Amino acid sequence: NKYQPKEIQNSIHYFAYDLKYNDRAKKITKSTPLAYFMSTIKNYGLIAAPKNYESPQDVALREYVKNQKALAEKRRTMVKEFKDVEYESWKTSLNDEDIEKIKPEFKRYGKDRQHHMIRAALYEHFDKNLWQDIYKKFLDENNKGVEC
């Protein structure tokens, strides 16, 4: 027993990876891939990992991280869009009296809701005082029956 089982198993992984990702099969012209593998082990020893080799665990981990990042980005985008929709809905429901209650000094800007000071303060008020409750309520209402 010249080689340990783990060493042979690693050679199998390396060779299979080479076949799948580096088109090794195209370079094997005089035999089958299995015969080529057996001959290489017998005549030359263990097969080294290709330069671009990733273990099955590394491939799975890389793919998992990539997918989780994509899901997180998708969720961030959806939450932001949801927040924007809720903010616009809330803002359009306000009358001048509501706006004055939020920031009494806005009276000096008149009824111009597009004034940058009013827009900024309304968004800040929504963000600090209303958004978390709106989002929590949404999550509570939409998590029924969902198991993780």
Side-chain angles (χ1 to χ4, degrees):
N1 285 342
K2 193 173 177 182
Y3 303 112
Q4 296 298 313
K6 181 71 176 165
E7 293 172 317
I8 298 293
Q9 185 62 58
N10 285 342
S11 287
I12 292 169
H13 284 301
Y14 302 153
F15 186 69
Y17 187 92
D18 223 11
L19 287 171
K20 183 173 183 179
Y21 296 105
N22 298 328
D23 291 328
R24 170 60 85 181
K26 289 180 182 175
K27 298 173 187 167
I28 301 170
T29 58
K30 296 183 180 176
S31 66
T32 67
L34 179 59
Y36 179 88
F37 173 80
M38 297 302 286
S39 173
T40 300
I41 293 292
K42 180 181 175 192
N43 297 323
Y44 303 103
L46 299 171
I47 294 176
K51 288 182 181 180
N52 63 333
Y53 178 75
E54 290 183 292
S55 71
Q57 295 85 359
D58 289 344
V59 171
L61 185 59
R62 181 175 42 78
E63 287 298 316
Y64 177 81
V65 168
K66 179 177 138 186
N67 290 337
Q68 291 303 307
K69 283 181 178 181
L71 287 172
E73 181 57 34
K74 183 178 177 182
R75 172 149 305 167
R76 273 191 296 277
T77 299
M78 288 188 297
V79 168
K80 183 186 179 324
E81 289 173 359
F82 176 59
K83 183 178 183 180
D84 291 347
V85 166
E86 291 296 311
Y87 169 69
E88 288 300 323
S89 176
W90 170 77
K91 186 175 79 170
T92 58
S93 74
L94 298 175
N95 59 36
D96 293 339
E97 194 176 288
D98 296 328
I99 292 173
E100 280 185 41
K101 284 178 189 171
I102 294 169
K103 290 283 187 179
E105 67 269 17
F106 285 158
K107 205 172 202 176
R108 68 179 172 200
Y109 299 118
K111 297 180 191 251
D112 181 11
R113 290 175 185 236
Q114 295 307 312
H115 191 283
H116 70 280
M117 295 295 290
I118 293 176
R119 284 195 338 250
L122 289 177
Y123 189 84
E124 180 181 349
H125 177 80
F126 177 83
D127 188 48
K128 288 184 177 179
N129 300 300
L130 304 170
W131 169 241
Q132 288 302 319
D133 290 337
I134 291 169
Y135 189 55
K136 183 181 181 324
K137 181 181 176 190
F138 172 81
L139 292 177
D140 289 346
E141 289 173 356
N142 290 285
N143 278 337
K144 293 179 177 94
V146 176
E147 294 183 28
C148 295

